[in-house]
Amino acid sequence: MPYTNLLIDGQDGILIVTLNRPKALNALNSKTMAELRHFFAEDAPKREGLKGVILTGAGEKAFVAGADIKEFLALDAQKGQDMARQGQDIFFLIERFPKPVIALVNGFALGGGCELAMACHLRIATPEARFGQPEVNLGLIPGYGGTQRLIQYLGKTKATELLLTADMLSAEDALRHGLLNAVLPAGEAMELAKKMVAKIAAKGPVAIAKTIEAINAYFQYDVDGFEKEVAAFGETTGTADFREGAAAFIEKRKPDFKGQ
């Protein structure tokens, strides 16, 4: 699939994916969403040697400033539900991706942009970043998981305040409330993101994928997270990676994981 709204740059096994609609503040239109679906479902899983993905936005103002509201004007109740379900499915692809996905938030992350950042496994922001779910200003609610993930990260009290008032969080406040892993100037933020991906890539690939599964299970109402952990632990003990990791530990050397 040729990408027009995504720029893909591969560097040492790390894919930097830039949402590229700077004149529209990288708003998520249907084409961008389709490209994100294809990238995480079809493209990235087939790339050999992939260590992880860094998502960021083009330009100096926004990561993603929201959805493309013009496309909402043709919606009715059923079409609205279909759009929300499709959007959630795409963000689940990101959340469940077996390699680390880091959002590098370099400006406004509002509405769908905040939801996209929250679907990533880790989040690093520049000091100019702003986070919020302003949908109630339009007579809407978040549709791509915002009402659920914001509570998961911030807790019910603060999340309810932000969802009902449409207020924004500064980068420092987002860090203080646990939404972010770090706040750094742009160049340093990208370097940290790359270092984090590289650090995770040095671990057992199967173990990383199973850890992501177990973490996600905590928030799934129909899944027992403890049972998921038991199953995943058992699966990892039967891998060649575990035998290599254990041998390397005993022999006091760096493990050579094969993802098997």
Side-chain angles (χ1 to χ4, degrees):
M1 178 182 188
Y3 299 118
T4 57
N5 292 349
L6 300 181
L7 297 177
I8 314 294
D9 180 26
Q11 300 179 9
D12 191 28
I14 300 172
L15 290 180
I16 300 174
V17 179
T18 304
L19 293 109
N20 188 37
R21 299 184 70 215
K23 292 183 179 179
L25 298 181
N26 304 317
L28 297 173
N29 61 2
S30 57
K31 183 165 182 56
T32 303
M33 294 295 282
E35 291 184 8
L36 283 170
R37 178 192 291 278
H38 184 271
F39 176 78
F40 281 101
E42 303 292 338
D43 186 353
K46 297 177 182 177
R47 299 213 180 198
E48 294 185 7
L50 178 64
K51 296 177 180 178
V53 177
I54 299 172
L55 278 180
T56 192
E60 300 178 353
K61 294 183 178 180
F63 171 68
V64 172
D68 194 328
I69 302 303
K70 293 178 182 178
E71 294 187 346
F72 285 23
L73 297 177
L75 298 177
D76 56 22
Q78 185 58 56
K79 291 179 181 178
Q81 289 184 25
D82 292 343
M83 173 180 274
R85 186 165 286 109
Q86 291 168 10
Q88 288 189 10
D89 288 346
I90 293 167
F91 286 5
F92 280 137
L93 285 173
I94 298 171
E95 187 173 63
R96 296 168 183 170
F97 196 69
K99 304 287 185 179
V101 182
I102 299 180
L104 198 166
V105 182
N106 54 321
F108 289 110
L110 305 177
C114 188
E115 290 169 308
L116 176 58
M118 290 191 293
C120 298
H121 303 128
L122 301 167
R123 282 154 298 283
I124 299 170
T126 64
E128 301 79 21
R130 297 292 181 271
F131 299 83
Q133 300 288 165
E135 286 86 350
V136 292
N137 286 333
L138 298 174
L140 293 171
I141 77 165
Y144 296 166
T147 62
Q148 305 304 297
R149 290 193 179 95
L150 200 64
I151 294 172
Q152 293 169 9
Y153 288 117
L154 303 186
K156 183 179 179 181
T157 300
K158 189 63 179 179
T160 299
E161 175 189 336
L162 295 178
L163 288 164
L164 297 184
T165 64
D167 287 347
M168 289 189 288
L169 279 181
S170 68
E172 288 299 330
D173 283 343
L175 178 65
R176 180 166 56 88
H177 284 289
L179 182 60
L180 295 175
N181 297 90
V183 177
L184 291 167
E188 295 178 37
M190 180 60 77
E191 286 306 308
L192 176 60
K194 292 178 181 178
K195 287 179 181 178
M196 291 179 77
V197 171
K199 186 174 186 179
I200 294 168
K203 317 304 179 185
V206 178
I208 292 300
K210 292 299 177 182
T211 299
I212 290 172
E213 285 183 18
I215 291 169
N216 289 335
Y218 179 84
F219 299 106
Q220 294 175 261
Y221 75 92
D222 57 345
V223 176
D224 185 326
F226 288 98
E227 285 302 314
K228 171 62 77 173
E229 182 180 280
V230 166
F233 179 83
E235 289 166 1
T236 55
T237 57
T239 64
D241 274 357
F242 167 64
R243 291 190 292 275
E244 166 61 15
F249 177 81
I250 293 169
E251 297 165 11
K252 298 182 179 180
R253 60 174 173 82
K254 185 178 179 180
D256 182 18
F257 293 120
K258 304 297 184 182
Q260 301 172 347

